[in-house]
Amino acid sequence: MKKKLLSLFLALTLALSLSVPALAVTPEEAQDDAELLYNLGLFLGTSTNEDGTPYFSLGRAPTRAEAVTILVRLMGKEDEALAGTWTTPFTDLPDWTLPYVGYAYTNGYTNGVSDDRFGASSSVSTAQFLTLLLRALGYEDGVDFTWTAPWVLTDQLGITAGQYNEQTTDFLRADAAAVSASALYAPVKGSDTTLLKALLDAGAITGSTVVIWDYSPMLFDEDFASFLFYPVSGSPACFTSFKLDQVTVNGLSCQTLQVTTPEEVAIYMASLGYDVGGFGYVEITYDEAAAKAAATEFYTDENGTTYPLLDFSFTYTATQADGTVIQGSFTDSYYLDE
């Protein structure tokens, strides 16, 4: 029997629409987003952990000056900002903020809180940050969105998913990291080009060795699921082979049938009637009843239907074009109906 597939993201969006959470994104949830942006050179830490890794201070609110700095880096414009000479009317800017606020003000990303004050040390609000982001992507407040409710447009663009509204009181660096990571896949105004593709085309992240890739579920049937793994267009690095070493569902081991190179994937997908490419494809066989019985989280919709959470865990080994072997892991979660 065919199964309806509800992504965890969608289910949480529905849940969040029923009540406003104290925190839209927790620091723990945003850690991966912060690390991705950091590795792309688009987000920096505030200090260094004892092991030398960056500390992102995700649990505190960013100031307005920090928010502008985050946006300038996200747009790949930090070098240009630092190299420029900028003039603003603001008298409350610390020296380190001058190039970032100057660039953002000159390019129409931001205004002050008064004619001569920027409010550099004040916490940025949700509406302010999302407005900055939309302006940086080319959208105009008063034309494409209203600055009092920018989440309407960011929801439409897939940058946010209903977790922010006029009742949201806290906006943390965790939120800034999560929203910034989502914005990589949002279109720049007036084109189908995503911010990520625009950054790649502009050479803004050519120094990164991060392999940018994605995956999607192809089919969910009883005791069966299949996923396609594929590159993001323009990625500065790529995989030439990709193998899942282990897959579990709610901690239970799965059996896998894999196609592990781009050539084999193209041939196999064509045999299934799909004209798509990828560097890896996997069919997963598992005991769905046992996986559901092992579920520890559930979602109940407004009609009273309950969906058990299936938490997939993937461990993989991949080879890049230059021969570098990478090992890693990731998880994804889905609610399935009965």
Side-chain angles (χ1 to χ4, degrees), residues 64 67-68 121 149 176 314 319:
R64 280 173 51 85
V68 168
S121 61
F314 304 85
T319 304

Side-chain angles (χ1 to χ4, degrees), residues 245-263:
D245 301 313
Q246 184 179 34
V247 182
T248 63
V249 180
N250 287 353
L252 305 176
S253 296
C254 305
Q255 293 183 332
T256 60
L257 170 67
Q258 301 188 53
V259 185
T260 58
T261 67
E263 296 80 7

Side-chain angles (χ1 to χ4, degrees), residues 5-17 161 299 333 335:
L5 176 61
L6 285 175
S7 73
L8 174 61
F9 192 62
L10 173 60
L12 287 180
T13 298
L14 294 173
L16 291 172
S17 69
Y299 166 68
S333 303
Y335 291 101

Side-chain angles (χ1 to χ4, degrees), residues 23-25 30 58 129 163-164 170-180:
L23 295 175
V25 181
L58 299 177
F129 189 89
Q163 68 268 50
Y164 301 109
D170 296 311
F171 190 87
L172 305 180
R173 282 175 60 88
D175 296 282
V179 168
S180 296

Side-chain angles (χ1 to χ4, degrees), residues 255-298:
Q255 293 183 332
T256 60
L257 170 67
Q258 301 188 53
V259 185
T260 58
T261 67
E263 296 80 7
E264 293 173 331
V265 170
I267 294 171
Y268 189 79
M269 296 306 295
S271 73
L272 298 177
Y274 292 95
D275 184 20
V276 292
F279 54 73
Y281 172 81
V282 61
E283 295 179 350
I284 300 168
T285 304
Y286 64 100
D287 187 335
E288 184 181 284
K292 287 183 175 181
T296 58
E297 295 184 34
F298 303 85

Side-chain angles (χ1 to χ4, degrees), residues 4-219:
K4 288 183 180 178
L5 176 61
L6 285 175
S7 73
L8 174 61
F9 192 62
L10 173 60
L12 287 180
T13 298
L14 294 173
L16 291 172
S17 69
L18 301 179
S19 60
V20 179
L23 295 175
V25 181
T26 68
E28 293 75 19
E29 291 169 338
Q31 183 68 28
D32 287 346
D33 291 325
E35 290 178 0
L36 169 64
L37 294 168
Y38 173 82
N39 287 322
L40 292 173
L42 304 176
F43 190 78
L44 296 182
T46 57
S47 61
T48 304
N49 293 312
E50 292 183 0
D51 61 0
T53 57
Y55 178 67
F56 298 113
S57 299
L58 299 177
R60 70 166 175 81
T63 64
R64 280 173 51 85
E66 285 180 317
V68 168
T69 302
I70 289 170
L71 263 299
V72 170
R73 286 184 179 134
L74 178 65
M75 300 305 295
K77 298 298 184 180
E78 182 170 30
D79 288 345
E80 186 176 341
L82 293 174
T85 301
W86 314 102
T87 300
T88 76
F90 309 127
T91 60
D92 63 338
L93 296 177
D95 288 345
W96 72 267
T97 69
L98 293 175
Y100 301 101
V101 176
Y103 178 89
Y105 177 76
T106 301
N107 286 276
Y109 293 1
T110 188
N111 298 309
V113 296
S114 68
D115 290 342
D116 62 351
R117 292 187 62 255
F118 181 71
S121 61
S122 300
S123 296
V124 72
S125 70
T126 303
Q128 288 171 348
F129 189 89
L130 295 182
T131 294
L132 288 172
L133 177 57
L134 289 171
R135 287 174 180 164
L137 290 171
Y139 298 93
E140 299 178 64
D141 45 319
V143 177
D144 302 303
F145 69 98
T146 60
W147 66 266
T148 55
W151 38 77
V152 175
L153 181 55
T154 57
D155 283 352
Q156 293 173 0
L157 296 174
I159 297 172
T160 55
Q163 68 268 50
Y164 301 109
N165 55 44
E166 62 278 354
Q167 299 180 55
T168 306
T169 56
D170 296 311
F171 190 87
L172 305 180
R173 282 175 60 88
D175 296 282
V179 168
S180 296
S182 293
L184 291 174
Y185 301 97
V188 176
K189 183 183 177 180
S191 75
D192 294 329
T193 300
T194 63
L195 174 58
L196 176 60
K197 186 64 165 60
L199 291 169
L200 292 166
D201 290 345
I205 54 178
T206 55
S208 172
T209 59
V210 174
V211 180
I212 306 170
W213 55 279
D214 208 344
Y215 64 94
S216 60
M218 299 292 292
L219 180 66

